[in-house]
Amino acid sequence: MLTPNQISRYNSILVKKLSVYLNREPDFIQACIIDELVHECGITREDAFSVVLAAAVGLDTENNADDKALFENYFPNMAHYLDKKVYRSNPYYKNIKIPVIEIGKWAFRQERYKPYEAFECDDFNRCPDGRIIPQIGFFDSEFSYPAVLENGREWMMITPNEIATMQPAIEKASGRVLTYGLGLGYYAYMVSEKDAVASVTVVENDETIIKLFQTCILPQFAYADKIEVVKGDAFVYAEKQMAAGQFDLVFTDLWHDPSDGVELYLKMKSYEKYSPRSTFMYWIEKTILCYL
């Protein structure tokens, strides 16, 4: 059994190592290596992926007892072999087509995960004993997904991670829904499909994103009449107009990842008092809370 000090140290080590790996070389693992391990050792693809990933992030599980303990207590519940068919059956993927276009600093296009490329696929899992286990997904063949790039950097995308981490706020939605952040309209689309949702108000500050959405994406919505897009600053709207709207659910998705999300999350939390009857939910909140 790990001690609290060990858990705290392992949490920090693992998050740092994975962050470096995912940012620098997420496609390092090759299919031939996984196939060889599966064939020769008789293990699952997830187990093979975990072993190779551990080595790729610098763990020496054979000669270092500390690394071995970290691996045994974290990696078995971390890697997930994902089924492309599950995601291709998602209503947004099936029904909404994103144009390939560049407008100023924004580029709209299809991005791709290579076979066995590692990516975050869900919120961090905080265990009862305090272990924080990132959730890493991979496919065994190429997987494409729609994305928006700002000056060459992925800013908005609809990946398995977005699908998984938005699902709780989609399931909770009913009545009048307010969402901060438009992106490619995934959340707005999914909740608009629900009979229990009467309206969806989206607050977005970027005029180009709004224009593209209203011109190319919104017309594909079956219930476009439920959608209202408001151009404006989320925090100004939260302070001055949110309560007047009497929203049943308020969902905030204004950040790229936890590194820029903690401050914005805490700021928006402070505005909950303006609409006390609303239920508030936040994108990747479980992961953000692990950084607080």
Side-chain angles (χ1 to χ4, degrees):
M1 181 179 294
L2 299 178
T3 67
N5 285 339
Q6 282 179 306
I7 290 172
S8 178
R9 185 164 58 84
Y10 286 163
N11 287 347
S12 178
I13 290 172
L14 183 59
V15 169
K16 288 178 181 177
K17 285 182 176 293
L18 282 175
S19 178
V20 171
Y21 181 83
L22 293 174
N23 281 290
R24 292 184 179 177
E25 50 184 352
D27 57 350
F28 172 79
I29 297 174
Q30 301 297 306
C32 58
I33 299 174
I34 301 299
D35 291 340
E36 183 177 350
L37 283 173
V38 170
H39 177 71
E40 293 188 358
C41 302
I43 58 178
T44 67
R45 291 188 183 278
E46 287 180 338
D47 288 341
F49 185 88
S50 295
V51 168
V52 180
L53 180 61
V57 301
L59 297 183
D60 183 357
T61 58
E62 292 187 8
N63 302 304
N64 186 305
D66 207 36
D67 287 356
K68 182 179 180 181
L70 191 160
F71 176 82
E72 291 177 344
N73 285 277
Y74 285 77
F75 278 70
N77 297 311
M78 191 174 72
H80 303 277
Y81 174 32
L82 303 181
D83 185 350
K84 287 171 59 173
K85 294 180 182 178
V86 171
Y87 297 96
R88 291 302 174 207
S89 65
N90 178 277
Y92 187 99
Y93 271 36
K94 289 174 63 177
N95 300 322
I96 306 300
K97 306 303 178 185
I98 304 300
V100 177
I101 189 174
E102 292 190 18
I103 307 174
K105 65 179 180 179
W106 299 108
F108 301 80
R109 65 191 190 201
Q110 292 286 318
E111 292 289 276
R112 287 171 174 77
Y113 288 131
K114 296 178 181 179
Y116 296 100
E117 179 173 348
F119 54 86
E120 292 179 89
C121 66
D122 207 339
D123 268 313
F124 285 2
N125 180 24
R126 184 190 287 273
C127 302
D129 62 3
R131 283 175 298 148
I132 296 174
I133 304 180
Q135 300 298 291
I136 305 300
F138 64 92
F139 295 103
D140 63 359
S141 58
E142 187 176 87
F143 180 85
S144 63
Y145 58 89
V148 177
L149 283 67
E150 180 183 18
N151 295 322
R153 180 196 183 202
E154 280 191 1
W155 178 247
M156 310 163 192
M157 65 288 290
I158 303 172
T159 65
N161 184 50
E162 277 66 36
I163 291 173
T165 52
M166 288 190 188
Q167 190 58 33
I170 292 170
E171 293 176 354
K172 189 74 172 179
S174 65
R176 294 171 57 83
V177 176
L178 169 65
T179 179
Y180 294 116
L182 175 58
L184 288 167
Y186 177 78
Y187 183 75
Y189 174 77
M190 294 297 288
V191 297
S192 73
E193 290 280 304
K194 297 183 65 175
D195 292 338
V197 170
S199 65
V200 185
T201 300
V202 185
V203 180
E204 171 60 49
N205 205 32
D206 192 281
E207 191 170 347
T208 300
I209 296 296
I210 293 174
K211 183 177 180 180
L212 179 96
F213 173 75
Q214 291 179 328
T215 303
C216 302
I217 301 176
L218 184 58
Q220 301 180 61
F221 282 29
Y223 302 98
D225 57 311
K226 290 185 180 182
I227 310 294
E228 177 189 12
V229 181
V230 177
K231 183 184 183 305
D233 179 87
F235 299 104
V236 173
Y237 189 95
E239 180 177 356
K240 297 184 176 180
Q241 299 183 47
M242 181 167 61
Q246 296 295 299
F247 297 101
D248 297 287
L249 177 72
V250 179
F251 177 62
T252 301
D253 177 14
L254 295 173
W255 38 85
H256 184 266
D257 54 44
S259 65
D260 68 334
V262 171
E263 183 178 350
L264 294 173
Y265 167 77
L266 293 174
K267 185 175 181 179
M268 186 56 76
K269 289 284 288 183
S270 72
Y271 287 90
E272 289 186 4
K273 61 181 179 287
Y274 292 108
S275 190
R277 68 176 293 274
S278 302
T279 296
F280 287 83
M281 300 185 75
Y282 300 85
W283 182 58
I284 61 170
E285 182 175 24
K286 289 182 180 179
T287 299
I288 288 175
L289 290 174
C290 293
Y291 285 81
L292 295 176

